[in-house]
């Protein structure tokens, strides 16, 4: 049944980022639920849908929303956003509270908004994963000693993702004598943050660590991977590892679970809505102000201080011994990895984008009722 209202969606639907993927998938999920939707529609006098029945869903940074301007055209305004620390940026608070409702993808996000003084209704609208696209393909056989146990990590090369802990933990825990490898798929955030720049930063960091042993195999991929190649990479891994400092959701974790690959992850963040001890290896942590890690000489990637260095914000710093221990545990127990991977696959089958569309439609219609 087609909705009586129209949603105008303003978000990064054409970008290749995680936010862009989510924006596109939300739009498609709403359409499947029978919601009339327009992408960033230009205002026209020919539009037969009245202001009363038009809903704006704003999926850009909340501080860029001109509430006063949009109120002329939309009776209902909903912000859809995501965040990675215990408090949102101060400049987001006023525009969010001027909207009618806000949607976030995880419990951690909801708490961050409440911690920051958000008073309007908050709806949890989770992300999803295409389990028919990301599927298990690996063979869990270790009779052939030439086949290396493969850790996979996929992330943007920025401080929040904690590449320092990932590299240090791997280099300290494993040597060339271990039948193991780590494949990192990453990318920079600016044109100069290219393959050469990233590898140079990693090489310099390794030199500063003054490692006394020959380290285990490491491969860095910085080029763009098409969907097919990315799916193969997930399926190739025997464990996915990312000791992130903070995630609103963590799409690579979802994609890894769907691929039957167990996750080694920090035990705090939006991903804890779907990561458990049954499908993952959870790493211990302490909550700390982001500025502490940013000011360390060991930091090798862009910090985004303007977003994550405000007073009162906290995120997770992993315990290095716990990280190393979980990586070693995964490496030494391939059958445990297989069991966790199978459980992760079963869990991921329940986390569809259709589920997200149902939750978002519910949030929209409840907000419309509250405005009557």
């Amino acid at each position: 049944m087609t909705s009586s209202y129209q949603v105008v969606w303003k978000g990064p639907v054409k970008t290749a980022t995680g936010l862009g993927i989510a924006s596109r998938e939300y739009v498609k999920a709403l359409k499947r639920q029978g919601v009339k939707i327009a992408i960033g529609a230009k205002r026209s006098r020919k539009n037969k849908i009245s202001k009363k029945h038009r809903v704006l869903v704003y999926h850009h940074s909340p501080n860029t929303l001109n509430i006063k301007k949009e109120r002329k055209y939309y009776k209902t305004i909903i912000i859809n956003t995501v965040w990675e620390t215990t408090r949102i940026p101060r400049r987001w608070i006023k525009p969010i509270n001027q909207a009618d409702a806000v949607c976030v993808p995880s419990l951690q996000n909801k708490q961050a908004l409440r911690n920051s003084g958000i008073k309007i209704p908050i709806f949890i609208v989770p992300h999803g994963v295409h389990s028919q696209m990301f599927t298990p393909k690996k063979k869990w056989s270790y009779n052939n000693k030439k086949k290396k146990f493969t850790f996979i990590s996929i992330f943007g090369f920025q401080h929040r993702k904690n590449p320092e802990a990932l590299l240090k933990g791997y280099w300290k825990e494993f040597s060339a004598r271990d039948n193991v490898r780590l494949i990192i798929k990453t990318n920079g955030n600016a044109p100069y943050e290219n393959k050469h720049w990233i590898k140079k930063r990693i090489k310099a960091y390794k030199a500063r660590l003054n490692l006394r042993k020959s380290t285990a195999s490491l491969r860095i991929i910085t080029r763009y991977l098409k969907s097919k190649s990315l799916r193969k990479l997930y399926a190739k891994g025997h464990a996915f590892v990312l000791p992130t400092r903070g995630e609103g959701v963590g799409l690579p974790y979802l994609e890894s679970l769907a691929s039957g690959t167990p996750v080694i992850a920090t035990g705090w963040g939006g991903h804890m809505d779907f990561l458990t001890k049954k499908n993952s290896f959870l790493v211990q942590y302490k909550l700390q102000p982001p500025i502490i890690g940013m000011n360390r000489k060991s930091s090798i990637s862009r910090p985004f201080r303007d977003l994550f260095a405000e007073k009162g914000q906290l995120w997770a710093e992993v315990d290095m011994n716990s990280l190393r221990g979980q990586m070693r545990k995964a490496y030494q127990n391939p059958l445990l990895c297989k069991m966790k991977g199978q459980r992760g696959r079963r869990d991921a089958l329940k986390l569809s984008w259709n589920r997200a569309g149902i939750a978002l439609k519910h949030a929209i219609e409840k907000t419309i009722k509250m405005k009557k």
Side-chain angles (χ1 to χ4, degrees), residues 22-46:
S23 213
R24 287 192 295 278
E25 293 298 339
Y26 278 134
V27 167
K28 288 188 285 187
L30 281 179
K31 286 182 178 179
R32 288 194 294 270
Q33 294 303 315
V35 175
K36 287 183 287 191
I37 193 161
I39 310 297
K42 293 182 180 180
R43 302 178 189 97
S44 172
R45 291 181 181 178
K46 295 181 181 180

Side-chain angles (χ1 to χ4, degrees), residues 104-251:
V104 292
S106 64
L107 286 166
Q108 182 269 331
N109 273 207
K110 183 174 182 177
Q111 188 59 55
L113 265 64
R114 288 292 182 230
N115 291 345
S116 306
I118 297 305
K119 306 298 184 184
I120 63 172
I122 302 172
F123 295 96
I124 294 180
V125 178
H127 285 190
V129 64
H130 291 295
S131 297
Q132 73 277 18
M133 180 184 299
F134 296 94
T135 56
K137 287 184 172 33
K138 69 182 71 59
K139 294 181 180 179
W140 291 90
S141 174
Y142 289 88
N143 296 325
N144 184 355
K145 293 183 179 180
K146 291 182 179 180
K147 185 175 181 180
K148 292 181 180 291
F149 184 97
T150 302
F151 289 106
I152 299 292
S153 194
I154 300 174
F155 59 91
F157 200 71
Q158 59 171 293
H159 185 74
R160 178 171 61 84
K161 301 293 185 176
N162 208 357
E164 305 89 0
L166 171 62
L167 291 165
K168 184 178 180 180
Y170 179 69
W171 283 330
K172 291 276 189 178
E173 187 59 33
F174 301 102
S175 72
R177 290 178 294 180
D178 292 301
N179 191 33
V180 64
R181 63 176 174 171
L182 169 61
I183 302 176
I184 294 176
K185 166 64 183 81
T186 190
N187 59 277
N189 297 279
Y192 69 86
E193 294 177 353
N194 52 25
K195 176 181 178 180
H196 175 74
W197 184 87
I198 291 173
K199 289 191 172 183
K200 185 178 179 181
R201 303 283 287 183
I202 291 174
K203 184 178 180 180
Y205 177 57
K206 187 175 184 180
R208 289 200 303 272
L209 290 175
N210 194 26
L211 300 167
R212 297 182 180 180
K213 62 183 180 182
S214 178
T215 55
S217 174
L218 172 66
R219 181 186 175 197
I220 308 293
I221 303 171
T222 59
R223 69 183 184 277
Y224 172 77
L225 293 182
K226 292 183 179 179
S227 297
K228 186 177 180 180
S229 297
L230 193 61
R231 295 197 299 270
K232 286 182 178 179
L233 183 57
Y234 277 114
K236 186 182 294 183
H238 299 107
F240 180 95
V241 54
L242 183 60
T244 181
R245 293 179 163 102
E247 298 291 333
V249 180
L251 277 176

